[in-house]
Amino acid sequence: MVSEHYIRRAVFPGSFDPITLGHVDIINRALPLFDEIIIAIGVNAAKNYMWTLEERIAKIEAVFKGNLKVKVTSYKGLTAAFCKKENAQFILRGLRNTADFTYEQTIAQANEKVNGVDSVFLICSPEYSHISSSIVRDIARNDGDYSSLIP
Ligand code: ADP
């Protein structure tokens, strides 16, 4: 029996509006690194989402159904505070390009300095680097077919 102290737990935060093949790829490839991954939908009252929180949670749960290492939930406020509450030592993020890197760098540095939560980045698989939730939403808004971008 491994004690709670030794459970390597990561939070994968995001909007997941909606979850894409890019997200699924990052999570699947991160599974060997952690004992548990909490997919955490950040709720921001100022943001307009295309899918409701319940719909987004249901989609993610359907993808990882039966995988005991994956939990799905939502949170408000700072990601680092949520990590503390969940006893998660790591934040998992995916990087598609240098724009993602530039955006993530200062956030990751602040989270480590201020909260002691380290970020772990996986570089997106090349076949998914064009996929983003915002592209899916654009296609959906214009009645296009986005089925090849989502699980
Ligand atoms: P956010 O609103 O925080 O950007 P997203 O749901 O868009 O939330 O993304 C959550 C995480 O998934 C981020 O780390 C993002 O870089 C990563 N991600 C999104 N799309 C892809 C992709 N196609 N390949 C790899 N990682 C991705």
Side-chain angles (χ1 to χ4, degrees):
M1 182 79 182
V2 180
S3 83
E4 169 71 17
H5 183 70
Y6 292 102
I7 294 180
R8 282 166 308 179
R9 191 177 278 120
V11 166
F12 187 44
S15 307
F16 305 103
D17 190 29
I19 185 161
T20 68
L21 290 178
H23 297 129
V24 174
D25 172 55
I26 295 292
I27 295 159
N28 281 334
R29 287 166 51 215
L31 276 170
L33 302 175
F34 301 106
D35 300 307
E36 186 177 301
I37 295 178
I38 303 174
I39 305 174
I41 303 184
V43 178
N44 178 347
K47 255 193 181 175
N48 277 321
Y49 299 104
M50 183 165 262
W51 282 275
T52 67
L53 180 60
E54 291 70 29
E55 288 169 332
R56 284 176 282 151
I57 289 177
K59 273 181 209 226
I60 302 171
E61 279 177 346
V63 176
F64 294 100
K65 199 171 162 218
N67 192 326
L68 299 176
K69 289 173 83 175
V70 177
K71 305 266 170 344
V72 187
T73 188
S74 65
Y75 70 101
K76 287 188 182 132
L78 290 176
T79 304
F82 176 73
C83 291
K84 281 255 157 85
K85 184 179 143 255
E86 296 292 328
N87 280 323
Q89 310 90 328
F90 305 101
I91 293 173
L92 172 66
R93 296 287 282 177
L95 296 177
R96 282 160 294 193
N97 46 46
T98 53
D100 276 355
F101 174 82
T102 304
Y103 173 79
E104 299 287 348
Q105 182 180 19
T106 50
I107 299 173
Q109 287 168 334
N111 280 334
E112 195 276 319
K113 278 283 165 248
V114 179
N115 299 93
V117 182
D118 240 321
S119 295
V120 174
F121 297 99
L122 287 182
I123 303 276
C124 161
S125 298
E127 62 270 38
Y128 301 125
S129 59
H130 64 294
I131 301 180
S132 65
S133 296
S134 66
I135 290 280
V136 173
R137 293 196 298 276
D138 274 348
I139 298 172
R141 231 177 260 120
N142 294 288
D143 295 321
D145 177 10
Y146 54 83
S147 56
S148 64
L149 307 181
I150 61 166

